[in-house]
Amino acid sequence: MELKHRDGLARICKFRGVETPNLMPVVNPNKIVISPRDMYERFGVNALITNSYIIWKTPRLRERALKEGLHNMLDFPGLIMTDSGTFQQHVYGDVEVTNKQIVEFQRDIGSDIGTMLDVFTEPHYTEEEVKNAIDETARRGKEAKKYKGNMLLAGPIQGSIYPKLRAYASKLMNRIDFDYYPIGGVVPLMEEYRYAEVVEAIIMAKKYLDPSKPVHLFGAGHPMFFPLAALLGVDFFDSAAYIKYARDNRLLFPQGTMYLKEIKYFPYYSPALENYTPEDLRAMPEEKRTKILAEHNLYMSMEEINRIKEAIIEERIWEYAEIRARQHPQLLRAYRKILKHRRFLEKFEPKSRKNAFFYTGEESMQRPFVLGIKRRLRQFDRHVILELPRPWSANLETIPKDAAVNTPFGLVPLELEDSYPFAQSEFPWEERKIVPEFKEIMSAKEFDIAKIKSIADYQFAKGAGDALFEGEIKIIKSKNTGKIRNVVVDGEHIASLRAEDGLFTLKLAGAKRLHRAFAFHKFRVIVNEDSAQFNRQGKNVFSKFVMGCDDSIRPGDEVLVVDREDNLVAIGKAIMNCWEMKKFSKGMCVKVREGVEHEKSRLVKK
Ligand code: GUN
């Protein structure tokens, strides 16, 4: 997996030539309604899933697949994943194939990602039954690795409705080291709209699996669940909903599902419906109608994936998921369950986003992002509490010392008036003006200095403001807006204040000051010697060269790149959090802005 874009735990990655999040339509090789070639050429499908057990059991297909290979047989040039028969075990109670046989078969027909024969864990199983199923799955997983050849091997995470056993399965399967991790045993939960239990299963997997490996949701079903799954970092989905609903004369739409018999007007456009009215479809022979409905449903499912990807790129995935969760009360319940895990999710949250923080409802204030804000605000101890419309200081005659503004995020120092999200947020209520009496006031110059120090403390850590701006301070403002743009101390350019989010971009001189003031590991990404050479020349840091890092690093943070002796090598912006930097073996993890030509910065201090 190579990380391309991210928004929290949601991510766009490159994997084996396709982009994630990716929807693999389920193709039943015995009952093809939309041909894989059509899916590829007309629907933008570049990965699909089919069932190797069905192929294996059908002599005609088995022979063809072995002779021509799976890609030729299906006439599909994209990525093909195969399942193993475990789902048939769930539906029919048993299968005739062994783990070894089905893994070898998938390998021999040229599947790109094959699945071992895991043991399906039903929702009604006892904890003991589930634990036994997980242990047997792990045993078979080790066996499957021996027979997989060059094929990528998927190791499903079972665990039924027990979060503890989901965690246990994730750790166990992670140790076996598969190429790909589907989350299994969730179809019966999905069918009963038990989304809250599904999100718990996903979170346990994301917590304990290697973050650089793809995670797949087996049988993701209805596209209305995709946004929540993608929010939690699910990379692949498979779904047979497009065809299942078509057979049932139902149409998928972004706002829900409708029976054809109840539709008077199509509420959305889709190419499949272009030439028909609902009445035309009802009057059609069944086979033709099923195909049209399946095509429509597939368009709608693929479109949902596009909306999700666009939301990730726009860094609006939380808002999007929050709005989408209103489609069904059980989705909203699941979303609220997600918020209970905000401590874990906060580790993936940036300090600012491209777009303003939009409030969509009371859940918005429980987002993991808000938890991070509250933690960083805790360091400020203020006694004059105001309520003000924005821009805050423009609504005051004089600037009080020691003041904070009461906001939906908590008490925010007045100096953070231009910083994200305090200036970049939208709420559905009016801002009031309440100014209590205060004794001490600040001059405009004092307020500017308090501003740069408080922003640095908020952005980096308590004490960063003093470390960065100790000395003769010169503040350079924008001629157009009058806002602070650059800070020079003792003749050195320390940092620029970004217009978009009111947070700092460090310059080399600023980085050196932080490096000196904060002990090893704080703000550091430690790279090996091979990498250091290149980073000194301003080249980006690749995760495979990372030897260690500060656990508190979040995506988007300004970081200090150092070598093993803690010599400053470069400064840049983190693309990943520390855990991800250590685990990913492909791709960039720090976008370097400036390298430090050979200079022993530690020695300079001594
Ligand atoms: N398809 C839907 N659920 C599952 C599962 O738990 N395991 C496998 N192998 N396939 C599935």
Side-chain angles (χ1 to χ4, degrees):
M1 293 279 276
E2 189 178 343
L3 187 66
K4 292 290 181 194
H5 298 276
R6 66 149 348 125
D7 188 12
L9 202 47
R11 56 193 192 176
I12 295 180
C13 293
K14 264 251 163 92
F15 181 74
R16 300 285 158 148
V18 304
E19 222 176 52
T20 70
N22 195 306
L23 173 61
M24 298 175 169
V26 174
V27 171
N28 181 336
N30 264 326
K31 298 187 225 161
I32 288 178
V33 176
I34 307 173
S35 76
R37 172 59 66 177
D38 243 14
M39 286 185 177
Y40 186 79
E41 286 175 359
R42 286 175 44 221
F43 295 81
V45 170
N46 52 25
L48 62 75
I49 186 165
T50 188
N51 197 299
S52 68
Y53 179 63
I54 295 176
I55 301 173
W56 183 83
K57 263 192 67 160
T58 315
R60 175 182 53 88
L61 292 173
R62 181 186 190 156
E63 257 172 56
R64 267 192 72 196
L66 283 168
K67 204 159 124 214
E68 299 172 24
L70 187 58
H71 286 78
N72 283 331
M73 183 175 96
L74 292 179
D75 186 24
F76 186 70
L79 196 70
I80 303 183
M81 177 172 181
T82 42
D83 202 352
S84 55
T86 298
F87 196 66
Q88 282 67 23
Q89 174 221 325
H90 156 71
V91 178
Y92 306 109
D94 207 2
V95 283
E96 295 158 18
V97 77
T98 67
N99 179 46
K100 175 170 182 278
Q101 278 173 316
I102 202 68
V103 171
E104 285 180 332
F105 181 66
Q106 293 173 79
R107 177 198 67 199
D108 293 344
I109 62 177
S111 172
D112 296 306
I113 307 167
T115 308
M116 55 164 294
L117 191 69
D118 50 319
V119 183
F120 199 94
T121 50
E122 303 288 348
H124 65 263
Y125 277 13
T126 63
E127 285 190 47
E128 197 186 345
E129 285 170 316
V130 173
K131 165 108 180 5
N132 291 340
I134 293 168
D135 289 339
E136 173 61 11
T137 298
R139 189 195 68 72
R140 292 186 195 172
K142 286 181 203 153
E143 176 189 61
K145 278 186 81 169
K146 289 192 235 158
Y147 306 110
K148 75 178 199 93
N150 290 329
M151 175 181 75
L152 297 179
L153 185 65
I157 308 296
Q158 293 290 341
S160 178
I161 55 169
Y162 307 107
K164 265 197 213 136
L165 289 172
R166 290 271 171 193
Y168 170 73
S170 304
K171 289 181 210 166
L172 196 61
M173 299 297 273
N174 191 53
R175 275 203 295 278
I176 299 172
D177 193 22
F178 292 90
D179 305 299
Y180 191 98
Y181 292 99
I183 297 170
V186 297
V187 170
L189 301 174
M190 294 276 196
E191 285 169 352
E192 293 178 11
Y193 294 77
R194 291 163 71 174
Y195 297 127
E197 286 158 290
V198 179
V199 300
E200 199 104 58
I202 299 172
I203 291 171
M204 288 304 139
K206 291 299 290 191
K207 246 186 187 171
Y208 297 108
L209 290 173
D210 179 340
S212 73
K213 296 282 176 77
V215 170
H216 177 126
L217 188 64
F218 257 150
H222 199 295
M224 75 179 176
F225 187 68
F226 298 173
L228 290 190
L231 175 75
L232 294 175
V234 168
D235 303 298
F236 287 93
F237 308 88
D238 68 88
S239 174
Y242 73 102
I243 180 67
K244 275 199 201 155
Y245 282 86
R247 292 213 165 95
D248 202 20
N249 286 309
R250 288 208 276 175
L251 286 86
L252 302 177
F253 290 111
Q255 96 292 10
T257 311
M258 295 174 87
Y259 277 100
L260 178 61
K261 64 172 187 255
E262 288 166 356
I263 302 179
K264 193 154 169 54
Y265 307 101
F266 291 129
Y268 288 86
Y269 167 83
S270 96
L273 304 178
E274 187 167 53
N275 298 315
Y276 308 102
T277 64
E279 198 43 55
D280 295 339
L281 289 177
R282 283 191 284 264
M284 225 174 240
E286 185 179 337
E287 198 177 328
K288 187 173 174 197
R289 178 175 61 235
T290 302
K291 180 157 192 215
I292 293 168
L293 296 189
E295 290 193 348
H296 164 79
N297 289 343
L298 187 57
Y299 276 124
M300 289 288 141
S301 306
M302 295 301 286
E303 211 179 64
E304 186 55 54
I305 297 288
N306 280 348
R307 277 192 292 268
I308 288 168
K309 284 163 80 170
E310 195 57 29
I312 295 173
I313 291 194
E314 285 296 305
E315 302 180 352
R316 283 181 176 278
I317 193 70
W318 281 93
E319 271 138 38
Y320 184 65
E322 221 162 66
I323 292 164
R324 275 282 175 243
R326 259 82 187 172
Q327 209 174 103
H328 193 289
Q330 293 306 326
L331 285 175
L332 187 56
R333 181 170 163 208
Y335 182 69
R336 290 178 177 160
K337 178 69 88 182
I338 289 173
L339 298 173
K340 294 230 179 314
H341 293 274
R342 57 185 173 273
R343 273 177 60 119
F344 166 66
L345 296 166
E346 193 278 323
K347 295 185 194 312
F348 303 86
E349 286 294 298
K351 293 195 170 78
S352 80
R353 287 185 149 89
K354 273 190 208 166
N355 285 292
F357 179 98
F358 265 47
Y359 177 97
T360 79
E362 59 189 67
E363 290 82 15
S364 304
M365 301 321 291
Q366 305 293 319
R367 286 185 207 158
F369 174 69
V370 178
L371 185 73
I373 296 173
K374 292 198 165 159
R375 195 179 50 234
R376 292 194 295 282
L377 286 176
R378 226 173 278 147
Q379 62 179 297
F380 300 99
D381 180 24
R382 297 298 165 100
H383 300 285
V384 180
I385 313 301
L386 319 159
E387 287 198 28
L388 286 171
R390 291 175 291 186
W392 295 339
S393 63
N395 278 293
L396 285 167
E397 314 273 294
T398 52
I399 305 290
K401 267 193 178 152
D402 200 22
V405 180
N406 193 8
T407 77
F409 299 106
L411 295 181
V412 180
L414 189 60
E415 307 91 274
L416 298 182
E417 64 175 348
D418 299 321
S419 301
Y420 197 92
F422 314 117
Q424 300 82 355
S425 43
E426 288 287 341
F427 292 96
W429 45 74
E430 217 173 300
E431 293 165 326
R432 298 185 301 180
K433 181 168 177 176
I434 302 173
V435 182
E437 289 207 11
F438 49 85
K439 293 192 196 95
E440 290 183 277
I441 60 166
M442 280 195 262
S443 68
K445 186 155 184 235
E446 282 171 325
F447 186 50
D448 283 345
I449 290 172
K451 249 187 182 175
I452 58 173
K453 289 195 172 175
S454 294
I455 294 171
D457 283 353
Y458 173 75
Q459 182 178 351
F460 296 102
K462 194 174 168 77
D466 284 337
L468 284 170
F469 307 121
E470 152 122 53
E472 182 80 34
I473 301 174
K474 187 169 161 221
I475 289 177
I476 298 157
K477 294 191 174 177
S478 155
K479 287 207 178 75
N480 290 332
T481 63
K483 300 234 156 124
I484 300 172
R485 283 293 157 262
N486 289 294
V487 187
V488 175
V489 182
D490 294 337
E492 287 183 315
H493 189 182
I494 299 294
S496 305
L497 197 58
R498 298 190 291 256
E500 321 84 79
D501 64 2
L503 297 174
F504 283 117
T505 297
L506 283 180
K507 293 284 161 191
L508 217 45
K512 284 179 187 169
R513 283 175 174 235
L514 276 192
H515 183 252
R516 227 174 294 144
F518 288 84
F520 197 67
H521 284 58
K522 197 72 189 157
F523 313 126
R524 269 57 156 200
V525 174
I526 304 123
V527 296
N528 70 15
E529 263 321 305
D530 292 345
S531 171
Q533 279 181 25
F534 290 100
N535 308 138
R536 283 186 187 283
Q537 294 162 21
K539 304 240 163 64
N540 296 325
V541 178
F542 287 81
S543 45
K544 71 172 166 203
F545 303 115
V546 169
M547 328 234 356
C549 40
D550 170 8
D551 263 340
S552 69
I553 291 172
R554 299 286 181 266
D557 278 4
E558 294 285 295
V559 291
L560 312 175
V561 181
V562 299
D563 66 15
R564 273 193 295 188
E565 274 106 52
D566 197 28
N567 298 301
L568 188 64
V569 161
I571 53 165
K573 182 171 126 169
I575 305 296
M576 296 176 174
N577 73 13
C578 179
W579 184 40
E580 294 168 320
M581 285 188 196
K582 288 185 200 160
K583 292 292 184 181
F584 270 78
S585 55
K586 261 189 123 162
M588 191 214 310
C589 66
V590 179
K591 202 167 168 89
V592 166
R593 199 174 325 104
E594 269 184 272
V596 183
E597 282 300 337
H598 267 288
E599 176 192 0
K600 299 275 176 191
S601 50
R602 268 330 236 184
L603 296 182
V604 169
K605 184 199 153 197
K606 286 171 193 161

